[in-house]
Amino acid sequence: MEAIIKNEVLRNADYYREKIINELPVKEHKIQVGDIHTTYLDGGEGTPFVLLHGPGESSIWWMRVIPHLVKKYNVIIPDLPGHGSSGSAKEKLTKEIVLDWLDGFLIKTCSRAPVLVGHVVGGAIAANYAIQPSKKVEQLVLVDSLGLSSFRPTPRFAYQFLRFMINPSEKSYLRFLPECIYDVNGLIKSIGIYWPYFLAYNIACAQHPTKKVAAKGIMSAMSGKIPESELAKIDKPVTLIWGRHDKANNLKVALKASKKYGWPLRIIEDTRDDPKLEKPVEFVQVVESMMAQTT
């Protein structure tokens, strides 16, 4: 019976996902990276931009910036291990497994050193990867990223997040969403007819037992504070993009990192921890400005 329930949840999730992807200027691909069946989206030409999503999310969380970025760049967006349509590792996720997976993925999908753009835990993955001297990365963009400090969300954020993780439902998700999104009604209006599919897909993924384990596992493996001595080893340009009203990773984290390492910080107003979803035009403008200054 449990297997039947899992399969039904997955079938529903695939349906909702397909509804969204079919309207985006990308194609979905599946490859094997080590022992992890990896699904990713690909579109556009030019400099490879690899976009790494946050915990419990998927590649479709970049849906609002994809149409803009593919006009100038080769946008490559994987579902992290155990997330979205990607399979899980055979072993418990560790930092080494995640970084080896990313290395293998980049080798298979990028024609040259990419710009790594990481959101929340995706940012921590990108930063940890770039620390390694043998890895080829053109630039880093860390978006409301973990890893720069200890993870200390506001008490209300933590409470609503745990409620959703324990009992993922539309009700608990909509209670949690205002902790992540500055203007929920504005976001729903902007996404328009695709909002029901976006909402249903995220809830279906959160309800799937294997994906719940993966989300917890990747947070456990990658969300810890990276030592300052390690961050100082990053020898490629780094840009920080932060939502002004982030409740999960306070803006003070970005201000401190910007001052210490000399990394430019771009603050996007009227957003919490997901400026790419809330303010896609402003987000892309920041990215394009960054590229113009470094090329």
Side-chain angles (χ1 to χ4, degrees), residues 60-157:
I60 68 167
W61 278 73
W62 297 93
M63 59 188 280
R64 300 196 71 203
V65 298
I66 288 173
H68 304 283
L69 292 177
V70 296
K71 294 177 182 178
K72 294 185 177 181
Y73 312 110
N74 176 205
V75 179
I76 304 166
I77 319 173
D79 289 335
L80 296 178
H83 290 65
S85 290
S86 286
S88 299
K90 293 180 180 178
E91 304 174 54
K92 179 182 177 181
L93 285 176
T94 64
K95 181 177 176 179
E96 291 72 24
I97 288 174
V98 174
L99 295 182
D100 284 347
W101 165 83
L102 178 58
D103 190 48
F105 178 77
L106 296 182
I107 289 170
K108 289 193 172 190
T109 59
C110 295
S111 57
R112 56 192 173 98
V115 175
L116 271 185
V117 185
H119 176 232
V120 189
V121 80
I125 294 169
N128 275 286
Y129 184 80
I131 287 168
Q132 303 171 84
S134 62
K135 305 310 178 187
K136 294 182 179 179
V137 176
E138 182 175 316
Q139 294 190 55
L140 277 184
V141 183
L142 305 181
V143 186
D144 294 77
S145 178
L146 296 178
L148 306 182
S149 180
S150 298
F151 182 44
R152 294 193 181 97
T154 65
R156 183 169 177 80
F157 180 101

Side-chain angles (χ1 to χ4, degrees), residues 253-274:
V253 171
L255 291 167
K256 182 178 178 180
S258 177
K259 182 178 180 180
K260 183 171 184 61
Y261 303 107
W263 297 340
L265 169 62
R266 304 291 182 259
I267 301 169
I268 298 186
E269 301 296 337
D270 298 332
T271 63
R272 295 207 192 283
D273 63 58
D274 204 340

Side-chain angles (χ1 to χ4, degrees), residues 35-74:
D35 68 349
I36 299 174
H37 299 289
T38 302
T39 300
Y40 71 99
L41 307 179
D42 180 277
E45 298 179 351
T47 300
F49 263 64
V50 176
L51 313 181
L52 304 176
H53 62 76
E57 298 177 0
S58 69
S59 53
I60 68 167
W61 278 73
W62 297 93
M63 59 188 280
R64 300 196 71 203
V65 298
I66 288 173
H68 304 283
L69 292 177
V70 296
K71 294 177 182 178
K72 294 185 177 181
Y73 312 110
N74 176 205

Side-chain angles (χ1 to χ4, degrees), residues 157-176:
F157 180 101
Y159 173 70
Q160 295 294 357
F161 173 72
L162 286 174
R163 285 189 67 177
F164 175 65
M165 290 299 292
I166 293 170
N167 181 28
S169 65
E170 181 173 345
K171 183 177 181 180
S172 61
Y173 186 77
L174 292 177
R175 282 180 173 174
F176 173 51

Side-chain angles (χ1 to χ4, degrees), residues 216-233:
K216 293 178 182 178
I218 210 159
M219 279 292 289
S220 176
M222 302 303 307
S223 65
K225 181 180 179 181
I226 303 170
E228 293 179 353
S229 59
E230 292 295 296
L231 288 171
K233 293 179 181 178

